[in-house]
Amino acid sequence: MPVISMKELNLYNKKVLIRLDLNVPINDHGKITSHARITASIPTIELAIKKRAKIIICSHLGRPKEGNFQKKFSLLPIFQYLKEYFNSVKITFSKTFSFKEIEKSEIIMLENVRFNIGEKKNCSLLSKKYASLCDVFVMDAFGTAHRSEASTCGIGYFSKIACAGPLFLSELSSLKKALKNPVQPVVSIIGGSKVSTKFKILQSLGKISNTIIVGGGIANTFIATDKKIGKSLFERDYLHHAKKLKSKFNILIPTDSRVGTEFSKNAVARVKNTSDIKENEEIMDFGDKTISKALKIIKLAKTIIWNGPVGVYEFKNFQKGTKSIALEISKSNAFSLAGGGDTLAVIEMLKIKEKISYVSTGGGSFLSFIEGNTLPTISMLQKKYFKIDKKKQINSTNT
C-alpha cells in the first residue's frame, strides 16, 4: 500500500510539523558524541525550507520520566548544533506548545516530546495538541516507526495531512530491496548477545539467506548445543531453539574463537578451537579459521544484511572478527544493508559509512521490519493516503 510523500506536497506557507529522530548520544558535558542521526535528518529540514514552509521540528531523546524536565535529556545541545548549521535561517527553541506566529522558512524546535505526559501511551489528547500545531504532519523518524506514540502515530490520525519524509521513504525502499526478492546469493551477518532477542530475525532471514553468519553471544548459544564453552555468555533456555534453526538453515557457526580468562580490555586473546575451551575461558571473538570462512562467503554475496558485531569489538584484542567482516562488506559490490546501534558504532569507528549501500538509522524499527511485523506508523500513513484529495495537495510546480 502507498503513502503520501513529503516531496510531492505543496507546503508553501503551511505549518509543517516534522517528527525527526534526533536521539543522539550526548556526554556528561553536554557534547554530542555522534551526529549521524542529525546529519541524516538535515536534508528533510532543508527540503521544508526550500518549499517555504513554516517549520516545527520535534524529537525524543533518551528515556526521561514523563512530566519531569531532566537537563540531561534536553534537546538544547541539538538545537544549538542546528542553529549553527542553519545560520542563515531563523530558528527558535520552545519548551511549550505556545509560540508566536511562524514565518515562511522559519524553524521552531520543540523540547523533548518524552517530557510530555501521555507521549508513550499514545494519548489522544496529546496527539490532538500536536496536530493542532500544523497543517501537515511529516513522519521522518523511522527509528521510532515501531512505536505507537503520540508524536509518531497518534498525531497522524488527527492531522489534516500525514506524509512520509525522504529519510523514512529511503529506509523503507532499502529494506524492501534487501528483504523482498533480493539478488542472490544473500548473506546475513547477525551478532549480539542473545538469541532470544534475535530469534524471529534469524527465522525471517533464514528464509531468504543462502548463509547466516552468527557471532557474539548468539553464536555461543549455537556452539553450546554440542560443546562446552567455559564461562562464555549464552542462553541455556534457547539451546533447543538454536538446534532447530541449525537443522533448518545454513548457519555458519564458529569453529574457532578468540578467548580470554577475564572480561576486560586488558584481557589476553588466545585462538582456540571451539571444542577445546576450558572452564575458565570466555569466547569473545571469532578465530582466524572462522574469519577466513566468513570472508569467503561475503566475497560471493550479491546482497548483504548486517546487524551486530561478531565479538567484543570495544576491546582491541577482540576486534579482529568484527573489523575483518566490516571491511570486507565495505569492499563488496553487493547491495549492503546495515543497521542497529552497535553496527552504526562499528561503521563510525572504521569510517566506512560511504562504502555501505545503505546504513539504517532505524534500530528497533529496522529489527521489527526484518521480523516481518507491520509497523504502526506505516499503517497510519497508509490509511491517511486514502483520506485526502491528493490532486489538491500536490503542486506540480513545487520549488
Side-chain angles (χ1 to χ4, degrees):
M1 287 175 70
V3 299
I4 306 162
S5 166
M6 176 190 179
K7 287 184 178 179
E8 64 184 342
L9 293 177
N10 172 18
L11 301 179
Y12 181 81
N13 203 31
K14 289 182 180 176
K15 287 183 287 184
V16 177
L17 193 154
I18 309 172
R19 176 55 159 98
L20 300 172
D21 183 2
L22 304 176
N23 185 31
V24 296
I26 298 174
N27 65 22
D28 293 338
H29 304 291
K31 185 180 178 183
I32 299 166
T33 56
S34 171
H35 296 84
R37 283 179 171 156
I38 302 175
T39 303
S41 297
I42 281 173
T44 305
I45 302 171
E46 289 176 330
L47 177 61
I49 293 170
K50 186 180 178 185
K51 285 177 172 280
R52 302 279 283 156
K54 298 175 178 181
I55 307 154
I56 305 161
I57 58 177
C58 69
S59 176
H60 75 285
L61 178 66
R63 297 183 180 181
K65 187 177 178 182
E66 285 186 6
N68 291 303
F69 172 82
Q70 292 169 270
K71 188 178 178 182
K72 68 176 181 178
F73 294 120
S74 174
L75 291 180
L76 190 59
I78 300 164
F79 163 73
Q80 289 165 339
Y81 177 87
L82 290 174
K83 189 172 184 180
E84 189 175 331
Y85 185 91
F86 292 106
N87 54 28
S88 61
V89 174
K90 187 176 180 183
I91 176 168
T92 309
F93 191 61
S94 180
K95 293 181 180 179
T96 71
F97 290 172
S98 301
F99 41 80
K100 64 176 183 58
E101 181 61 30
I102 317 169
E103 299 296 322
K104 291 186 286 292
S105 298
E106 182 185 344
I107 302 169
I108 300 284
M109 182 173 185
L110 301 180
E111 181 56 284
N112 190 342
V113 293
R114 287 190 178 166
F115 289 159
N116 301 323
I117 294 172
E119 168 63 21
K120 294 190 82 172
K121 289 185 177 178
N122 196 18
C123 168
S124 60
L125 287 175
L126 181 58
S127 299
K128 287 175 183 176
K129 272 188 180 180
Y130 288 136
S132 71
L133 298 176
C134 64
D135 301 306
V136 178
F137 169 59
V138 179
M139 178 57 182
D140 208 34
F142 185 79
T144 61
H146 62 307
R147 299 187 185 279
S148 186
E149 297 180 343
S151 71
T152 62
C153 200
I155 177 178
Y157 285 110
F158 294 107
S159 297
K160 298 168 194 170
I161 302 168
C163 65
L167 179 59
F168 194 99
L169 290 175
S170 182
E171 293 268 4
L172 277 181
S173 174
S174 296
L175 281 164
K176 285 176 181 176
K177 183 174 180 180
L179 301 173
K180 314 289 183 188
N181 300 314
V183 180
Q184 304 284 335
V186 179
V187 175
S188 296
I189 301 105
I190 304 296
S193 58
K194 296 180 178 181
V195 171
S196 56
T197 60
K198 302 281 178 79
F199 182 66
K200 286 184 180 178
I201 291 164
L202 290 165
Q203 282 186 312
S204 295
L205 290 179
K207 294 170 186 174
I208 62 166
S209 300
N210 298 84
T211 307
I212 299 176
I213 299 168
V214 291
I218 292 172
N220 295 347
T221 302
F222 280 95
I223 298 167
T225 58
D226 57 11
K227 295 181 179 69
K228 292 182 179 179
I229 58 170
K231 59 178 183 178
S232 306
L233 173 71
F234 80 107
E235 289 183 286
R236 192 176 302 278
D237 293 344
Y238 268 77
L239 289 173
H240 175 65
H241 296 285
K243 281 181 182 177
K244 282 180 72 175
L245 289 169
K246 206 164 54 163
S247 65
K248 194 173 181 181
F249 304 120
N250 183 27
I251 300 175
L252 175 66
I253 300 161
T255 54
D256 66 335
S257 301
R258 278 180 168 71
V259 303
T261 54
E262 59 176 343
F263 191 80
S264 161
K265 65 179 180 181
N266 299 317
V268 176
R270 293 183 63 206
V271 178
K272 302 191 73 173
N273 289 333
T274 52
S275 55
D276 298 330
I277 293 166
K278 296 179 179 177
E279 284 186 13
N280 69 330
E281 292 175 329
E282 183 173 0
I283 297 171
M284 292 200 277
D285 191 16
F286 281 177
D288 294 335
K289 291 175 189 173
T290 302
I291 291 171
S292 179
K293 287 178 188 173
L295 298 187
K296 284 176 184 174
I297 292 166
I298 292 167
K299 274 186 172 76
L300 298 172
K302 296 296 181 186
T303 303
I304 301 168
I305 300 163
W306 173 28
N307 173 245
V310 298
V312 188
Y313 73 97
E314 301 95 326
F315 298 162
K316 193 174 181 181
N317 292 341
F318 301 96
Q319 288 181 345
K320 188 172 181 180
T322 299
K323 282 180 73 173
S324 300
I325 285 171
L327 292 172
E328 191 62 44
I329 293 170
S330 74
K331 289 188 285 184
S332 174
N333 291 322
F335 175 77
S336 53
L337 173 68
D342 286 335
T343 314
L344 298 182
V346 172
I347 288 168
E348 282 200 42
M349 178 181 79
L350 299 176
K351 296 179 171 58
I352 56 171
K353 185 180 178 183
E354 304 307 316
K355 296 178 181 178
I356 307 293
S357 304
Y358 194 82
V359 178
S360 172
T361 60
S365 296
F366 173 84
L367 299 178
S368 187
F369 194 93
I370 289 175
E371 286 176 4
N373 298 324
T374 299
L375 307 187
T377 304
I378 295 175
S379 179
M380 175 273 293
L381 289 169
Q382 289 172 339
K383 287 173 184 175
K384 292 295 283 191
Y385 177 86
F386 295 101
K387 289 187 176 181
I388 72 160
D389 184 342
K390 287 171 285 301
K391 286 184 181 178
K392 260 188 183 179
Q393 301 300 335
I394 297 170
N395 178 1
S396 60
T397 59
N398 268 341
T399 56

